[in-house]
Structure formats: structure tokens, C-alpha cells
Amino acid sequence: MKILLPPSETKHEGGDGSPLDLDSLVLPSLNERRSAVLEALIDLAADEEAARRVLKLSEGQRGDIAHNRALRSSPTMPAIDRYTGVLFDALDARSLSAASRRWLGEHVWIHSAPLGPVGALDALPTYRLAAGTSLPGLPALRRHWAEATSAAIAEADPSFVLDLRSEAYVALGPVPGSVASAYVRVVTAHGRALNHFNKKSKGLLVRAIAEDRPRVSSLRGLRAWAQKRGIVFRDGAQPGILELVVEE
């Protein structure tokens, strides 16, 4: 099983890892496109006013431009530790056991805008780029990434993909129809979609799976594990949708 997570706009700064090495990332067939986005971000960062405008940054976020300027040389840390925010705070990967962290590295991809899906333990620098940004010199990120990312997922040939991404990141690389998958929505018992608890619930779900490290290779296997854990899944109204039912 592979789990696809969205990234977060907020990130821990710094790190003690070596600079970004594209050859160390998962899905190496994406490296040419990764390099193109990196170069576009670095070039854009040379003009701070243009970078602020394109990236929609406030005056107080100018530091993010410097991060982009140093993408090839700044220190890195594991992706699962780089991102902060509600989902990643709930997952709290730093407090997991070494075995659970290894499981995350083997089973979790985080879908970044500049690099596409990366492994949970892949080493990333700090950056600023959102899924909906259009970079000078490149097509819209959706056009740049979608077909190549779907092909890379198919090539990786996962037995089953649990897709926890936001719709904006799904658009950057839909799971191909040839791969068994389920897209998760967080709802109440009455079927109401939840915004406030959406990210937190997904983070807690991934933490629970990492703690138990079940041998799951299908939706049926995921449901069996969830039932033992007291986690409630049910079929959504549309094919391919899996509802995670939580209390309000």
C-alpha cells in the first residue's frame, strides 16, 4: 500500500541534511520535470518583487524568496519532518518509533508542488510554492505535472493507493485507473463533510497505520485493519470515494 498525503504551506526551517539530491528521491522518472521547476523557482527568486507577486507573498514572507533562491544548496531534512500544520502536527512523526518511521518511508508519499510526490523520508529543503501557482517559463503546474506523475505512479505499480490529498494536489497527478485506489473524505455519521477536523483526522489516521504497520495490499485489507482499530470507513456516494467517519 502507498498513502498519498498533501504537503503543507508551513514548514520547519533549517535542517542538518546534505543539499537536495534529485537522484535520491522516489519516482526518479520525474527528475527532469523536478529540475525544470527548481530552476524556474530559483530564477524567479532573483527578482524579489516579481517573486512576491507570482507567489502571492506578504511583506513579512519575503524570507520564503530567499529559501527558493537557495533550493540547490540549503540543508535538508526528511519530508515528513519538514512540513508542519494540522495534518502533520496530528501525525507527529518525530515521536514515532524507528520502526514506524521506516514504515512511513516505505509506504507514504507527500505530494509537493516543486518536486511531485516524494517519499516521507526523502530529504527536502525549505521552499515556497503552491499547487495553483503559475511560474514564468513553465506551463501551469497542472499541465507540467499531471500526466507525468500519473505515469510515474503507474510505473511504481503499488498494490493499492490510499489518497488523502486535497483536490488541488490530486489535479497535479491523479492516481491512474490502472491502480487500485480510494480517495478519502472526512465526514460525520450524518454525512456532513468536515473542514476543521479534515486534516487532523487524516494525520491521526496515518499515525495509527504507522503505529500498527499492518500488511495491507487492498481496500478490503484496510477495512479489516480499521475495524479492529475502531476506525469507521464507509463507501462514498461516488465510486472510488471512501468516507472516514469521525465525531464532530
Side-chain angles (χ1 to χ4, degrees), residues 202-223:
K202 290 177 178 178
L204 292 174
L205 172 65
V206 177
R207 181 178 179 88
I209 300 174
E211 287 174 338
D212 290 0
R213 305 185 297 282
R215 294 182 179 275
V216 171
S217 58
S218 66
L219 177 56
R220 181 178 179 180
L222 177 68
R223 286 181 181 274

Side-chain angles (χ1 to χ4, degrees), residues 16-233:
D16 57 8
S18 300
L20 178 65
D21 176 11
L22 294 185
D23 290 333
S24 71
L25 305 181
V26 300
L27 306 179
S29 65
L30 296 177
N31 282 355
E32 184 175 341
R33 291 176 184 271
R34 288 165 168 159
S35 185
V37 178
L38 291 176
E39 293 310 311
L41 273 176
I42 292 169
D43 289 347
L44 177 63
D47 184 335
E48 286 204 3
E49 292 310 312
R52 279 189 62 196
R53 184 174 62 254
V54 171
L55 301 175
K56 297 180 173 61
L57 302 179
S58 67
E59 179 65 30
Q61 294 172 316
R62 278 186 180 270
D64 288 338
I65 301 171
H67 291 319
N68 285 353
R69 191 179 301 122
L71 276 168
R72 294 283 194 180
S73 59
S74 58
T76 60
M77 69 174 66
I80 201 70
D81 300 325
R82 173 66 72 191
Y83 296 103
T84 64
V86 176
L87 188 156
F88 292 94
D89 290 348
L91 199 164
D92 192 15
R94 295 187 184 204
S95 70
L96 288 170
S97 68
S100 291
R101 285 180 63 86
R102 285 194 299 271
W103 188 94
L104 289 175
E106 294 169 359
H107 296 275
V108 172
W109 293 335
I110 304 171
H111 197 152
S112 77
L115 299 169
V118 298
L121 299 184
D122 285 355
L124 300 190
T126 306
Y127 68 86
R128 181 61 176 250
L129 182 66
T133 304
S134 294
L135 291 173
L138 284 181
L141 289 180
R142 181 172 183 171
R143 288 178 55 201
H144 181 80
W145 281 121
E147 185 176 344
T149 301
S150 294
I153 293 171
E155 184 180 358
D157 195 26
S159 59
F160 172 68
V161 173
L162 187 66
D163 194 345
L164 304 181
R165 296 175 295 174
S166 62
E167 292 183 3
Y169 281 91
V170 171
L172 297 189
V175 178
S178 61
V179 175
S181 67
Y183 181 79
V184 174
R185 288 182 177 158
V186 180
V187 301
T188 68
H190 300 293
R192 187 169 69 87
L194 290 176
N195 292 323
H196 179 70
F197 292 105
N198 175 45
K199 294 179 181 179
K200 180 178 180 180
S201 298
K202 290 177 178 178
L204 292 174
L205 172 65
V206 177
R207 181 178 179 88
I209 300 174
E211 287 174 338
D212 290 0
R213 305 185 297 282
R215 294 182 179 275
V216 171
S217 58
S218 66
L219 177 56
R220 181 178 179 180
L222 177 68
R223 286 181 181 274
W225 166 82
Q227 186 174 22
K228 293 177 183 178
R229 257 279 189 162
I231 294 171
V232 179
F233 284 123

